[in-house]
Amino acid sequence: MSLGEFDLIAKYFTRPVRRAALGIGDDCALLAPAPGMQLAVSSDMLVEGRHFLSTVAPDRLGHKALAVNLSDLAACGAQPLAFTLALALPRADERFLEGFARGLFALADAHAIELAGGDTTQGPLAICITVMGELPAGGALLRSGARPGDDLWISGAPGDARLALEVFRGTASLDARAFEAVRAAMERPQPRIALGLALRGVATSAIDVSDGLLGDLAHILRRSGVGAVVEVDAVPRSAVLAAQPPALQRECTLAGGDDYELLFTTPAARAEQVRAAGRAAQTAVTRIGRIEAGPGLRLVDRDGRAVADSFGSFDHFRS
């Protein structure tokens, strides 16, 4: 007998909640933030063929669906609290559901976030998660706080996810070990929750890199009313990406997207605090530029020479 809607919810997605006041089973979940705390709320949708390939393993898809949402909480400096899951499935495939739920809950448990509700329906494969986190009132990291003279930092080493996509497209070639390394970056991104928490009170602005470093930086510049200079050769990259042609390296690091690293600004005097935050979060952090008073974005190489900005970013309705 095929699995029905409520059977699959009960079998694969119903778990006791400990932090939420009420979880799955009623018309609404109930949350109770601690006194003096605000809720941070964000939603992301993943659609097959647009955000992930049909070849992705179900457990990796479950991981990524939650990871991209947790990354928004990281960029805000919020502690994960609860999430909801809306899932459209072509059919109730138990092999898919088991793997998807396993990957989803492994990451949820790692960050102590609970599934508190959601919805299921039949249709083309699509996943929409809404995450909720909490943080001290007035303590959120925002896109609007960058100031002239601030340093510009990036976590990790962006670009590997884009390189994996180019391999899938057939425009780049890697050996099996190198391909698996960059494919993991594409399919199992690691949300920088610990770093986001450590940057509260240190960073002046932050955003997670989902659509490309330069494209996401533009959001900070626009909301903060400032400009920036980016030292393109200072942007860190993995050993696999560093072995690729220079033009491809820049395309992947600056315009790749799907990185889910944190791009943030801090006063220059706080450089050691940033490094300490990176050490505490066990995450590499690299200074890649500075904020300027004048509008616009300038790119320079390691010798300070201008680099033409021919890099795009992902747009759901233009890409």
Side-chain angles (χ1 to χ4, degrees):
M1 182 179 295
S2 63
L3 205 62
E5 177 182 3
F6 300 106
D7 298 320
L8 76 83
I9 293 171
K11 183 172 183 178
Y12 293 105
F13 298 111
T14 301
R15 305 204 308 178
V17 293
R18 295 175 175 82
R19 300 176 67 196
L22 181 67
I24 292 173
D26 276 77
D27 291 306
C28 293
L30 300 178
L31 304 178
M37 304 292 274
Q38 288 180 322
L39 277 181
V41 181
S42 182
S43 294
D44 263 308
M45 180 182 296
L46 300 183
V47 177
E48 185 179 33
R50 191 61 169 166
H51 301 97
F52 61 90
L53 302 175
S54 61
T55 54
V56 66
D59 62 314
R60 290 192 168 195
L61 182 57
H63 172 103
K64 184 171 184 176
L66 182 57
V68 303
N69 284 272
L70 287 173
S71 185
D72 287 331
L73 293 184
C76 201
Q79 180 71 51
L81 178 62
F83 70 101
T84 62
L85 167 67
L87 182 62
L89 296 165
R91 61 189 181 282
D93 181 334
E94 292 206 58
R95 182 177 178 184
F96 171 87
L97 286 163
E98 187 282 327
F100 180 86
R102 175 162 33 87
L104 179 85
F105 285 125
L107 186 62
D109 291 345
H111 292 284
I113 187 170
E114 302 176 328
L115 178 59
D119 192 20
T120 57
T121 191
Q122 187 175 34
L125 182 57
I127 307 140
C128 184
I129 287 179
T130 297
V131 286
M132 288 146 278
E134 59 181 8
L135 70 167
L141 302 178
L142 304 176
R143 299 176 182 182
S144 55
R147 297 293 178 263
D150 282 357
D151 285 338
L152 179 65
W153 298 77
I154 186 74
S155 68
D160 279 359
R162 174 60 180 273
L163 180 57
L165 181 59
E166 295 305 321
V167 175
F168 276 116
R169 288 172 169 171
T171 61
S173 179
L174 298 173
D175 63 40
R177 179 177 294 183
F179 176 56
E180 181 50 41
V182 297
R183 184 177 185 177
M186 178 184 182
E187 296 178 345
R188 299 190 77 254
Q190 300 303 314
R192 302 302 191 183
I193 293 292
L195 180 61
L197 295 173
L199 288 173
R200 288 198 313 220
V202 177
T204 52
S205 70
I207 191 171
D208 74 321
V209 179
S210 56
D211 297 329
L213 191 156
L214 297 184
D216 288 318
L217 173 58
H219 295 305
I220 288 180
L221 303 186
R222 189 177 306 113
R223 294 295 296 271
S224 297
V226 295
V229 57
V230 173
E231 301 160 17
V232 297
D233 295 323
V235 179
R237 59 212 68 190
S238 70
V240 175
L241 183 54
Q244 303 307 304
L248 180 58
Q249 290 184 44
R250 287 183 176 178
E251 181 68 25
C252 289
T253 55
L254 300 176
D258 238 10
D259 298 304
Y260 303 100
E261 296 293 352
L262 295 188
L263 180 67
F264 58 96
T265 60
T266 69
R270 294 179 185 169
E272 186 47 46
Q273 289 176 265
V274 173
R275 296 186 182 97
R279 290 192 295 270
Q282 298 182 316
T283 302
V285 290
T286 305
R287 181 191 175 279
I288 62 168
R290 66 180 181 277
I291 299 300
E292 299 183 323
L297 174 62
R298 296 190 300 117
L299 307 181
V300 298
D301 64 14
R302 62 173 53 87
D303 298 317
R305 294 175 300 203
V307 173
D309 184 1
S310 58
F311 305 97
S313 63
F314 183 77
D315 183 304
H316 287 93
F317 294 98
R318 291 177 175 170
S319 299

